[in-house]
């Protein structure tokens, strides 16, 4: 594990869907993820990858155990407190971008900032424009999602995830619906978030090539972690990291 402050921790986390026949999504998960890690969550379909990500992101709550964000226990938080934690500390990128179709790219990126309420309208607009420009979308910020390519829409989604400058980005199959060129572009964006911007990125992926290029791989089978190992460094040694905050 990369040395640094622990940003997120799962302690004995189990999630069981109730019913006539209860379904266990994940079981007895212990996991620590530190600052500036690039972590792949892998496993076969139905292994609990996305379920674990949603638990880490406070989009679902464990049946047993606890998720801590920056050392703060979340189980006893009110829903309002959890929502504020999601807005301030977590950014989300999904396989299908979930941009609001009636809004421009600029307004989609501004949505988390409006929800958090820390910036003025002018500051929100400026930050959203800067994020889109950084991802090569300066000429597309006033377009609606249906006027952009799949790769462009996913770059907007990454910009939206960074709107409130969270330390941790959680991505669920962020390249799963893209062609190979767009997939590589989005992967490099996530790689740069870690190497150049000091973010932590945790991504569920079926792409084993991408997983091998990430810093750490957590592999699940039947809802349990069966392997947690660092990836091999690239030729020439350890990746150089430039932390810029």
């Amino acid at each position: 594990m990369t040395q640094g402050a622990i940003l997120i921790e799962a302690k004995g986390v189990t999630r069981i869907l109730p019913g006539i026949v209860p379904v266990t999504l994940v079981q007895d998960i212990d996991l620590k993820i530190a600052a500036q890690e690039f972590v792949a969550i892998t496993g076969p379909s139905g292994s609990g990858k996305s379920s674990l990500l949603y638990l880490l992101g406070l989009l679902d709550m464990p049946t047993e155990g606890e998720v801590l964000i920056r050392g703060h226990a979340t189980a006893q938080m009110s829903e309002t407190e959890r929502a504020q934690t999601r807005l301030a500390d977590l950014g989300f990128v999904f396989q299908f971008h979930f941009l609001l179709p009636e809004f421009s790219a600029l307004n989609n990126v501004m949505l988390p900032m409006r929800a958090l309420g820390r910036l003025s309208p002018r500051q929100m607009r400026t930050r959203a424009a800067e994020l889109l420009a950084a991802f090569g979308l300066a000429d597309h910020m006033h377009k609606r999602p249906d006027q952009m390519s799949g790769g462009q829409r996913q770059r907007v989604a990454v910009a939206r995830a960074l709107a409130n400058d969270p330390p941790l980005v959680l991505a669920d199959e962020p390249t799963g619906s893209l062609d190979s060129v767009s997939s590589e572009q989005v992967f490099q964006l996530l790689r740069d978030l870690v190497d150049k911007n000091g973010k932590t990125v945790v991504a569920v992926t079926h792409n084993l090539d991408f997983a091998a290029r990430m810093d750490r791989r957590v592999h699940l089978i039947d809802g349990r972690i069966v392997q947690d190992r660092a990836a091999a460094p690239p030729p020439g040694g350890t990746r150089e990291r430039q932390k810029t905050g």
Side-chain angles (χ1 to χ4, degrees):
M1 178 184 293
T2 301
Q3 295 300 310
I6 300 300
L7 285 183
I8 190 163
E9 180 178 3
K11 300 174 67 174
V13 166
T14 294
R15 178 67 170 106
I16 300 173
L17 292 181
I20 297 174
V21 180
V23 176
T24 300
L25 301 177
V26 297
Q27 189 166 359
D28 297 329
I29 297 291
D30 290 312
L31 182 65
K32 294 181 179 180
I33 296 171
Q36 208 174 347
E37 285 199 272
F38 193 17
V39 182
I41 299 178
T42 61
S45 296
S47 61
K49 303 183 299 299
S50 293
S51 296
L52 175 57
L53 195 77
Y54 296 161
L55 289 162
L56 295 176
L58 309 184
L59 297 174
D60 193 12
M61 295 299 294
T63 307
E64 301 174 11
E66 177 74 287
V67 173
L68 291 84
I69 306 290
R70 289 180 157 186
H72 299 293
T74 60
Q76 301 306 315
M77 288 181 176
S78 67
E79 183 49 47
T80 297
E81 290 171 326
R82 281 194 290 270
Q84 286 296 109
T85 298
R86 285 193 296 267
L87 282 168
D89 294 333
L90 306 171
F92 298 91
V93 182
F94 300 97
Q95 177 175 356
F96 302 102
H97 46 78
F98 295 129
L99 301 177
L100 293 185
E102 68 274 22
F103 283 9
S104 67
L106 188 74
N107 282 314
N108 268 285
V109 174
M110 290 170 64
L111 286 172
M113 291 183 264
R114 288 190 174 118
L116 190 60
R118 290 179 177 174
L119 301 178
S120 70
R122 176 173 292 184
Q123 289 172 321
M124 287 188 287
R125 189 176 184 86
T126 297
R127 175 160 176 79
E130 288 174 347
L131 284 167
L132 290 168
F135 293 154
L137 296 169
D139 294 333
H140 302 278
M141 63 180 65
H142 298 297
K143 293 181 179 179
R144 297 188 310 273
D146 63 358
Q147 297 172 311
M148 292 182 284
S149 68
Q152 289 168 341
R153 289 193 293 267
Q154 197 64 308
R155 280 185 276 160
V156 174
V158 175
R160 181 183 59 188
L162 296 173
N164 291 325
D165 197 25
L168 178 63
V169 175
L170 303 174
D172 190 10
E173 294 286 0
T175 64
S177 62
L178 303 178
D179 60 44
S180 59
V181 173
S182 296
S183 293
E184 180 63 27
Q185 290 174 342
V186 170
F187 177 84
Q188 288 298 333
L189 284 179
L190 298 176
R191 175 83 261 176
D192 286 348
L193 291 182
V194 177
D195 293 348
K196 297 181 180 179
N197 299 100
K199 302 297 183 184
T200 295
V201 175
V202 181
V204 166
T205 183
H206 277 103
N207 189 319
L208 297 185
D209 173 61
F210 285 171
R213 294 161 60 194
M214 296 167 76
D215 299 338
R216 178 180 170 197
R217 181 176 172 186
V218 176
H219 191 68
L220 272 64
I221 294 179
D222 295 334
R224 294 179 181 269
I225 295 176
V226 298
Q227 186 180 64
D228 183 352
R229 63 176 178 81
T238 305
R239 287 187 181 89
E240 181 181 353
R241 290 187 172 180
Q242 176 186 359
K243 189 169 183 179
T244 59

